[in-house]
Amino acid sequence: MTPEDAESFERTLELGKEIAASLPDHDVLGRWMAHHIGDLIIRAETASEAEADDVRRETATAVLALWNHRAALPISRPPLDTFEPVFTALERLSEPQDPWDFYRMFQRGSEPSEDDMAAAPLLRIALNLEEIVRRVVRTIVTVAAREAADSEAKWLRLSDHVEDDEQRAARDAILELARTLETYAGDADGQPAAGDTGLSKLINDLLRAEAQLAEARGALEDRLPGNRSESESGGPV
């Protein structure tokens, strides 16, 4: 076994120990799986030179098989599971977003034109609200992506030697999408300030949304029958 193979095997053992420790004692299947993995690890660590390669191969194969099927483990929250809903959301938000495309209220090609919005100013308000809501949602999801990476840090560290892992690839895609979305939203380097998790940017986006909503509310209040008649007669609005 080469030094590289030995290092990879030791890291696989560490991964197997953590999986075994995470399996619940109260679940029959979980208890059996934990015992089976634990037994293989003990055998691998105590095998004679003549048996070492075969036992290590069997142990590594079993641990990686469990890892590749971690979504089915009898654990309340399987490893890296936090990334799944975040990945789905980021994938949706990373799609090209033309005006009126976020809520998809109009069929493609039939969106209101500039002339339409000039004739019906409320359409312009609706479009502005769509953009600010999209920005807020995008920022919230990128913050969620960072939190998912933090909460899964242990499993990411233990599995970073595992090759061809679809969920790891999804995790890398999540972080790349988050960086892309942050850059699209106007962040120059796509990274939060030291000690910041992205919450300050989210708060700023929410303040912009509040201002946009206040503007929309004012425009709608101006259209109330009482306000309109007072405005037209020169009275207070």
Side-chain angles (χ1 to χ4, degrees), residues 93-162:
L93 288 170
S94 70
E95 297 172 359
Q97 298 288 344
D98 295 326
W100 300 109
D101 204 37
F102 189 62
Y103 288 112
R104 296 171 179 167
M105 293 181 289
F106 301 97
Q107 292 184 350
R108 189 168 293 278
S110 65
E111 300 90 347
S113 65
E114 288 296 324
D115 290 340
D116 293 330
M117 288 186 283
L122 285 179
L123 286 175
R124 171 68 66 188
I125 292 174
L127 182 60
N128 291 340
L129 283 174
E130 180 188 74
E131 172 56 31
I132 195 65
V133 168
R134 181 194 315 173
R135 176 184 288 271
V136 169
V137 171
R138 184 168 55 227
T139 305
I140 290 174
V141 175
T142 53
V143 170
R146 293 188 183 283
E147 291 183 344
D150 290 341
S151 68
E152 299 285 7
K154 174 183 70 176
W155 293 112
L156 292 171
R157 177 183 61 80
L158 291 171
S159 65
D160 66 3
H161 68 293
V162 179

Side-chain angles (χ1 to χ4, degrees), residues 40-235:
L40 285 173
I41 290 173
I42 291 172
R43 286 175 55 203
E45 290 178 330
T46 59
S48 64
E49 282 192 31
E51 299 176 325
D53 285 348
D54 289 340
V55 174
R56 287 175 176 176
R57 189 179 301 110
E58 180 185 2
T59 302
T61 298
V63 170
L64 293 178
L66 271 183
W67 178 251
N68 289 333
H69 293 86
R70 57 191 172 275
L73 291 175
I75 304 175
S76 58
R77 199 187 75 183
L80 303 188
D81 190 57
T82 308
F83 285 122
E84 291 300 327
V86 178
F87 183 64
T88 300
L90 277 175
E91 193 170 39
R92 161 72 175 88
L93 288 170
S94 70
E95 297 172 359
Q97 298 288 344
D98 295 326
W100 300 109
D101 204 37
F102 189 62
Y103 288 112
R104 296 171 179 167
M105 293 181 289
F106 301 97
Q107 292 184 350
R108 189 168 293 278
S110 65
E111 300 90 347
S113 65
E114 288 296 324
D115 290 340
D116 293 330
M117 288 186 283
L122 285 179
L123 286 175
R124 171 68 66 188
I125 292 174
L127 182 60
N128 291 340
L129 283 174
E130 180 188 74
E131 172 56 31
I132 195 65
V133 168
R134 181 194 315 173
R135 176 184 288 271
V136 169
V137 171
R138 184 168 55 227
T139 305
I140 290 174
V141 175
T142 53
V143 170
R146 293 188 183 283
E147 291 183 344
D150 290 341
S151 68
E152 299 285 7
K154 174 183 70 176
W155 293 112
L156 292 171
R157 177 183 61 80
L158 291 171
S159 65
D160 66 3
H161 68 293
V162 179
E163 297 179 357
D164 301 326
D165 187 291
E166 291 182 1
Q167 206 162 9
R168 261 198 92 78
R171 172 261 179 181
D172 292 339
I174 282 175
L175 298 182
E176 181 59 34
L177 283 169
R179 284 190 290 269
T180 299
L181 291 172
E182 288 171 332
T183 301
Y184 175 73
D187 292 339
D189 58 5
Q191 298 294 329
D196 189 0
T197 60
L199 293 179
S200 59
K201 181 180 183 305
L202 175 55
I203 290 171
N204 287 334
D205 285 345
L206 287 170
L207 289 173
R208 293 191 193 100
E210 288 177 8
Q212 192 68 53
L213 286 168
E215 182 180 339
R217 184 186 66 190
L220 293 173
E221 287 174 345
D222 287 344
R223 284 165 171 74
L224 290 173
N227 289 346
R228 181 182 301 170
S229 61
E230 290 177 350
S231 177
E232 290 173 351
S233 64

